[in-house]
Amino acid sequence: MGITVTTEPQPEHSGHNDHPDNTGRPSADPAPRHLGFSRRRLIASAAVAGGTGAIGAFAGFGAGRSGAADRAEAMPSRDLRGANGPVTEPFYAPHQSGVETTPQAHAHFLALTLKPGSKAGDVMRWLRLLTADAAALTQGSGPLADSEPELAHDPARLTITFGFGRGLVKLAGEESVPKWLGPLEKFPIDDLDPDRCTGDLLLQICGDDPLTLAHARRMLWKDSRNFAEVAWQRDGFRRSYGSQGEAKTQRNLFGQLDGTANPGPGSEDFARIVWGQGTGRADAVHSARGAPPDDLGAHLPDWMRGGTTLVLRDIAMNLDTWDKADRPAREFATGRTLGSGAPLSGVDEFDVPDFDAVDKRGLTKISAAAHVARARDGLNPEMQIHRRTFNYETGAGEGAGLLFASFQADIARQFLPIQRRLAEVDLLNEWTTPIGSTVWAIPPGVKEGEYIGQSLFEG
Amino acid sequence: MGITVTTEPQPEHSGHNDHPDNTGRPSADPAPRHLGFSRRRLIASAAVAGGTGAIGAFAGFGAGRSGAADRAEAMPSRDLRGANGPVTEPFYAPHQSGVETTPQAHAHFLALTLKPGSKAGDVMRWLRLLTADAAALTQGSGPLADSEPELAHDPARLTITFGFGRGLVKLAGEESVPKWLGPLEKFPIDDLDPDRCTGDLLLQICGDDPLTLAHARRMLWKDSRNFAEVAWQRDGFRRSYGSQGEAKTQRNLFGQLDGTANPGPGSEDFARIVWGQGTGRADAVHSARGAPPDDLGAHLPDWMRGGTTLVLRDIAMNLDTWDKADRPAREFATGRTLGSGAPLSGVDEFDVPDFDAVDKRGLTKISAAAHVARARDGLNPEMQIHRRTFNYETGAGEGAGLLFASFQADIARQFLPIQRRLAEVDLLNEWTTPIGSTVWAIPPGVKEGEYIGQSLFEG
């Protein structure tokens, strides 16, 4: 029996967000993806070069062994004809990897709290160490101090993404701290565990191989234990690369097929929504939805140009009560068909929901309180985020949920309006409870010789 | 850049055991593997048919949709040209899957304790439920009560293996309880946590996809929670299928390349060592090591014919002190080269260790106290086991170790002599501590319509 693996062409989609869930939007085949990737990188880099100068000119990136300009040629085709153990994601690049990167099978989220009395100099030394080791590990090499370098040799798309909390940024000076870097406003649906709402540095370690990931986490922890304590940690998963490849929308533990409407990696929408590069540039491509919105990156401080923001919500899912809801009740709550993921107004996963469509009885097919309806505000083109989520389930009879990582250039204009609408009314709230919530500044990527956070401490 | 994936021909090896670690011995390509698999199944089935009659004649297995005889034809080629999401392991078969099965990327070990006052009838009902659901899940179907059947559709080699503890077997009558089914003798190296040494039923849930695995565990737990409590659970991992395929010896968290000397799945050695089918049959192939040993299955009770025994040790590994040992010290302790896995007396991973070889100074190249030397007793051909191990690491700064699953027909003749030698002297003991230890009766596989354990309760 042979197995045929099909990939579907990347459909046009509106860039709306409808559900906090798994996503993965690869392109149809390696060729267009390479082109798209390369073109986006060039645009992004040009913007950086013309920006604050905090990072440096584009030429600087090309000099690194993982320079963006080299990548289109160097990136192996990631279809299913080969094992992906040797496949690398870039480390030295204008943006950090692990944001636009198609989500890997596994993620370790490790939040660390600085030891009392830490000074800026301590943090700079720590970040230098972490940057050097992350650069080596993601490219398949053991760091210098690695006594098991063989465990690093199959990177399998390992990415290590740094997020800064308020406590760390403050050490560089109060004037560097953006207003939004701190706890979100309180939502009535929250039942937050204070221990899951802390941390000065976040390491988001993602990869397709669990042994490589465990080794990377251990190496980074060895770099960190003199500087920091573990604040909290959580391990998440999606489908393995080996069972599906990257080419399908995934399901969460509720069985929902979604993550259907994220902005596609490499798209102009992505650059606008996540990196805040939407307007003011001659080469900007306007949103298909009409007039270009204001530059969503306007509220990022200079040291964050090329970076973005991350809201990380730990959403517990009550699988036991969800099991008691029958399929029609579930589909009513989400506004989508469980099997195909199509909106109840349509037939295909990627059909745009029609909130005016009515059934034979004259009732709207999609309830105004359904998740898909609440998550969208058709009048506001700013209300878009990029979700990069992972399931977790710690054991039989233990907790289950979703690590909901939301990347966006502007928390106040993009994330909060959506979150407020969902907190107000969303049928899905019946089965979900946010138990952890943190906000992180994602600094830009760096060139070889620099360290992550250099633009903050020495910018 | 293209990626070339090479598979190496399966080498001849002695069937000795030298190290409690990862293993995985696939054949070089699908064709010979199919042949080998099929031939073994036929031999094994014939032995069962001519045995106690507890399971039934071979013809009965052929009738099931996953019959062993059909499998050689039905099994897709498992090379790296296709995703392995649709690949299934058989459920209805003379032996349970998950023993001879090439280890998958992930394993959930879930030990359960019967609720107080449980009767044989309760356990029979529970096992019927679990068997039906395990049969469906492993073949990619949601069980009847599954409200998220879509999560079962990519089995990715899911196997669910049942192990019985003393408490469960006793309910079928004291006369059914084998002498060896209980705690092992105490070893001086042990530092056992009593909470990790209990349980009446073990579910070993293995698969290459973490989402499928989480769903399967949840379905089995829903079947179980009216009958039992969680005794302990532990999640393990190896390299993902997607990063390497199955075709390489793996490394543990110490960075050791080993699991080199397990009996190959499908081999005559395997049948003798694990299923206890070594002698007394016209078609028995004698061990290459000389005179055939006695039938190692002689001490399995009738209801276990077609089954085997499992010793499951939870071995904590002290990565911090291991890091302080340099490479020569590590290689001296294990008796093998870290890079290639070759014995210090040889050059290739699969070279047979030569304990008499001396270096220029006249010292033996492999220390008599090295792990590889202690784990072998060249004079005793019975001292062989089949190890199927998984790494674990629960978080940064938390516990790490190895779930050391050892399958053998006779614990007293096979496992204990090796364990005693290692407990007495083994340089590796410096860095490892057994913290959990359980012994399980692995009942035989069943035909469609039967339930796992039927030979115990209704044999």
Side-chain angles (χ1 to χ4, degrees), chain A residues 80 84-85 106 147-148 150 209-210 212 218 222 225 233 239-240 242-243 319-320 323 327 330 396, chain B residues 80 84 106 147-148 150 208-210 212 218 222 225 233 238-240 242-243 319-320 323 327 330 396:
Chain A
L80 293 168
N84 78 334
H106 300 275
S147 35
E148 296 89 26
E150 291 89 353
D209 187 87
T212 302
R218 179 165 156 67
K222 282 169 70 176
R225 56 191 172 189
Q233 48 188 330
R239 287 251 178 250
S240 67
S243 61
L319 301 183
D320 287 343
D323 279 352
R327 286 176 81 92
R330 294 169 175 208
Chain B
L80 293 169
N84 79 334
H106 299 275
S147 36
E148 296 88 26
E150 290 88 354
D208 284 331
D209 186 88
T212 302
R218 180 166 155 69
K222 283 168 69 177
R225 57 191 172 187
Q233 49 189 328
R238 300 162 60 89
R239 287 252 178 249
S240 68
S243 60
L319 301 183
D320 287 343
D323 278 352
R327 285 176 82 92
R330 294 170 176 207

Side-chain angles (χ1 to χ4, degrees), chain A residues 204-452:
Chain A
Q204 178 198 265
I205 312 167
C206 299
D208 283 331
D209 187 87
L211 185 59
T212 302
L213 217 62
H215 178 66
R217 176 170 61 186
R218 179 165 156 67
M219 293 306 297
L220 299 173
W221 169 240
K222 282 169 70 176
D223 289 342
S224 301
R225 56 191 172 189
N226 289 333
F227 299 94
E229 313 279 354
V230 173
W232 55 265
Q233 48 188 330
R234 190 69 108 174
D235 295 349
F237 58 85
R238 300 163 59 91
R239 287 251 178 250
S240 67
Y241 170 82
S243 61
Q244 284 201 338
E246 304 169 3
K248 285 184 184 175
T249 309
Q250 301 213 350
R251 292 184 190 272
N252 65 11
L253 293 171
F254 279 170
Q256 294 170 306
L257 184 68
D258 50 49
T260 298
N262 254 0
S267 68
E268 303 301 336
D269 259 357
F270 194 100
R272 180 177 61 83
I273 292 165
V274 175
W275 307 123
Q277 297 156 345
T279 58
R281 299 201 323 269
D283 59 359
V285 176
H286 294 167
S287 161
R289 310 190 69 241
D294 293 337
D295 183 346
L296 289 167
H299 295 107
L300 294 177
D302 280 354
W303 67 267
M304 282 188 67
R305 290 286 156 188
T308 186
T309 79
L310 165 63
V311 177
L312 184 55
R313 306 272 290 174
D314 185 333
I315 302 175
M317 293 161 67
N318 193 329
L319 301 183
D320 287 343
T321 55
W322 179 252
D323 279 352
K324 293 187 180 128
D326 60 14
R327 286 176 81 92
R330 294 169 175 208
E331 295 179 344
F332 184 77
T334 58
R336 286 186 179 274
T337 307
L338 282 175
S340 67
L344 296 179
S345 60
V347 293
D348 181 79
E349 178 189 348
F350 296 101
D351 286 350
V352 175
D354 177 356
F355 301 112
D356 299 322
V358 293
D359 62 17
K360 282 180 292 196
R361 297 165 301 170
L363 303 172
T364 55
K365 289 182 174 176
I366 299 175
S367 161
H371 183 81
V372 67
R374 294 301 300 170
R376 293 188 185 222
D377 179 352
L379 299 177
N380 188 343
E382 293 182 0
M383 280 172 54
Q384 294 175 248
I385 55 178
H386 173 63
R387 295 140 311 152
R388 198 169 188 278
T389 62
F390 293 87
N391 306 300
Y392 70 84
E393 185 162 33
T394 54
E398 297 185 0
L402 194 70
L403 292 161
F404 177 60
S406 172
F407 294 94
Q408 57 283 308
D410 192 322
I411 292 175
R413 292 158 74 195
Q414 297 174 262
F415 181 86
L416 285 177
I418 300 175
Q419 183 63 33
R420 288 189 195 116
R421 280 175 63 92
L422 293 174
E424 193 181 36
V425 179
D426 174 5
L427 292 175
L428 263 192
N429 292 342
E430 177 75 18
W431 299 280
T432 59
T433 309
I435 59 171
S437 180
T438 43
V439 173
W440 304 93
I442 305 296
V446 293
K447 290 187 294 189
E448 211 165 351
E450 297 178 337
Y451 64 91
I452 301 277

